[in-house]
Amino acid sequence: MGKPRLIVSLDFELFWGMLDVTTLDAYREHILGGREAIPKMLALFEAYGIHATWATVGFLFGENPEALREYLPEKGPSYADEALDGYARLRAMKPEDRDCFFAPELIGKIAAAPGQEIGSHTFCHYYCREAGQTPEEFRMDMVSARELGLARGYDLRSVVLPRNQCREEYTRVLSELGFTAYRDEENDWIHRKIHFRPLKRLLRLMDVYLPLTGQGGYTPRVEQGIVNLTGSRMYKPYFRPLGFLEGLKMRRIKAQMRHAAKKGLTFHLWWHPHNVGVRTDFHMRQLEELFRYFRQLQKEYGMVSQNMGEAAREVLEELNN
């Protein structure tokens, strides 16, 4: 039986991941609230010994668009849907919206906190399965992410691809560029078999509260030299129409954590800072409840908390021994 581990990762993207979803004015409260929540999350992680990977969009490393200019790739993604194009939004940036798009000072605070890893969420919040873009455009984007990270003092080794979109040829690019871990999408029947998007979204929402897809624990796999640290469960923020089911949500996550601890498996919990940008105190209480439960599983089964980089190093060391 393997070592039971809890991995936590956060998709740190500010508004770059919402360009095609909503307007900045409509979502500004969530983005700015997510920024304010980050120091609270770091304090909570430190109190409970939680190690986490902050998969950070490369644009966030800049203080402004000018600071990114020398790192822009020769060619951006050729999306058929122009609403996805972060480079176009970068060119049209308004100075007063800075805090919704850039965060070098927050990245520094995260990196200085114990057990926290700065990873990559691609350079421009790149979508690997969207029509029009190519693997070579993805390679250029990830080269820019690595170079800017290194210039700012961060050797990015773990990556979370936006919306967990990945293909085999893109995994190969990550391995060739020196990344050692990535987070794949949940490996369950909903993701594998349901292709009608409205039905998939409904079933995924139901699975937050009811055990439709099982326990989510797994043994990490090495693919083309890179460790696949599949996501097990997104921590879903409070959803008012189903607020009466919050108890079921928490019970579901705890049951999955316990199953992984008992069976010596990995459980990977993830979310976005902007998910907790409103009702922040409520969400902090829920996360603390989950981390208290982790402490219990730590005592009972020896479960450990690792960020993606730590888990990948351990998996690769075991493979090579």
Side-chain angles (χ1 to χ4, degrees):
M1 189 169 71
K3 175 189 293 185
R5 57 169 67 90
L6 171 68
I7 298 176
V8 170
S9 62
L10 297 98
D11 299 12
F12 188 22
E13 60 192 36
L14 296 181
F15 194 67
W16 293 111
M18 304 296 290
L19 297 179
D20 65 324
V21 177
T22 186
T23 66
L24 179 56
D25 286 342
Y27 208 66
R28 191 183 300 268
E29 181 183 7
H30 288 77
I31 298 299
L32 297 180
R35 289 183 68 106
E36 294 179 3
I38 287 173
K40 297 178 182 180
M41 283 189 278
L42 291 175
L44 193 61
F45 290 168
E46 184 170 5
Y48 287 89
I50 301 299
H51 293 201
T53 293
W54 297 72
T56 307
V57 170
F59 286 171
L60 270 63
F61 289 93
E63 293 79 11
N64 50 52
E66 291 71 32
L68 298 172
R69 185 167 295 142
E70 67 178 289
Y71 299 98
L72 296 180
E74 180 181 333
K75 190 176 186 298
S78 305
Y79 298 128
D81 182 358
E82 294 181 357
L84 300 170
D85 188 1
Y87 292 98
R89 187 57 178 259
L90 186 68
R91 291 190 295 269
M93 187 67 57
K94 297 178 181 179
E96 61 268 26
D97 294 332
R98 177 197 180 277
D99 286 349
C100 294
F101 293 96
F102 305 110
E105 66 290 342
L106 271 178
I107 296 171
K109 289 180 181 178
I110 293 166
Q116 307 307 298
E117 175 194 25
I118 303 299
S120 177
H121 202 32
T122 75
F123 189 58
C124 71
H125 203 267
Y126 193 105
Y127 299 100
C128 295
R129 294 184 194 156
E130 296 299 328
Q133 55 76 39
T134 68
E136 186 54 35
E137 291 170 351
F138 174 69
R139 178 185 293 274
M140 288 189 285
D141 187 89
M142 294 307 302
V143 167
S144 291
R146 287 276 287 145
E147 289 180 349
L148 177 56
L150 287 170
R152 298 302 172 95
Y154 306 107
D155 186 10
L156 309 179
R157 294 291 180 176
S158 300
V159 61
V160 171
L161 296 170
R163 297 178 189 169
N164 295 317
Q165 295 183 357
C166 195
R167 290 174 174 161
E168 185 176 348
E169 59 267 40
Y170 293 78
T171 307
R172 187 179 305 115
V173 168
L174 295 176
S175 182
E176 290 171 355
L177 293 179
F179 290 96
T180 57
Y182 83 104
R183 190 187 76 205
D184 202 358
E185 68 181 354
E186 287 87 338
N187 183 23
D188 57 54
W189 66 268
I190 294 176
H191 288 82
R192 290 194 306 269
K193 297 182 179 181
I194 306 300
H195 305 292
F196 182 54
R197 190 171 181 181
L199 178 58
K200 178 180 282 190
R201 293 186 67 178
L202 175 62
L203 290 171
R204 287 176 62 187
L205 179 61
M206 292 173 61
D207 190 47
V208 170
Y209 308 100
L210 302 171
L212 299 186
T213 59
Q215 300 299 342
Y218 63 91
T219 299
R221 306 188 309 274
V222 179
E223 303 168 352
Q224 302 178 99
I226 186 170
V227 183
N228 182 346
L229 298 173
T230 305
S232 302
R233 170 66 50 196
M234 177 186 173
Y235 168 69
K236 181 80 172 177
Y238 180 86
F239 181 49
R240 185 185 295 274
L242 298 179
F244 63 98
L245 296 177
E246 286 296 294
L248 288 179
K249 178 185 84 174
M250 296 296 286
R251 194 176 310 159
R252 174 94 169 98
I253 297 173
K254 288 179 180 179
Q256 291 184 294
M257 290 171 64
R258 175 167 285 274
H259 179 267
K262 290 176 68 175
K263 300 295 184 179
L265 301 174
T266 292
F267 182 76
H268 191 160
L269 184 68
W270 64 278
W271 67 95
H272 308 74
H274 61 73
N275 292 144
V276 300
V278 296
R279 293 181 178 267
T280 300
D281 290 343
F282 172 83
H283 293 118
M284 290 300 109
R285 288 194 296 272
Q286 283 197 334
L287 290 172
E288 184 168 18
E289 182 180 339
L290 293 176
F291 298 152
R292 279 201 304 268
Y293 194 66
F294 160 73
R295 279 280 184 86
Q296 181 179 333
L297 298 175
Q298 194 175 41
K299 293 178 181 177
E300 291 183 34
Y301 302 104
M303 197 175 207
V304 299
S305 172
Q306 293 181 330
N307 59 46
M308 291 175 63
E310 292 167 337
R313 283 194 296 274
E314 191 169 85
V315 170
L316 291 172
E317 286 173 3
E318 291 173 355
L319 183 67
N320 292 328
N321 289 336

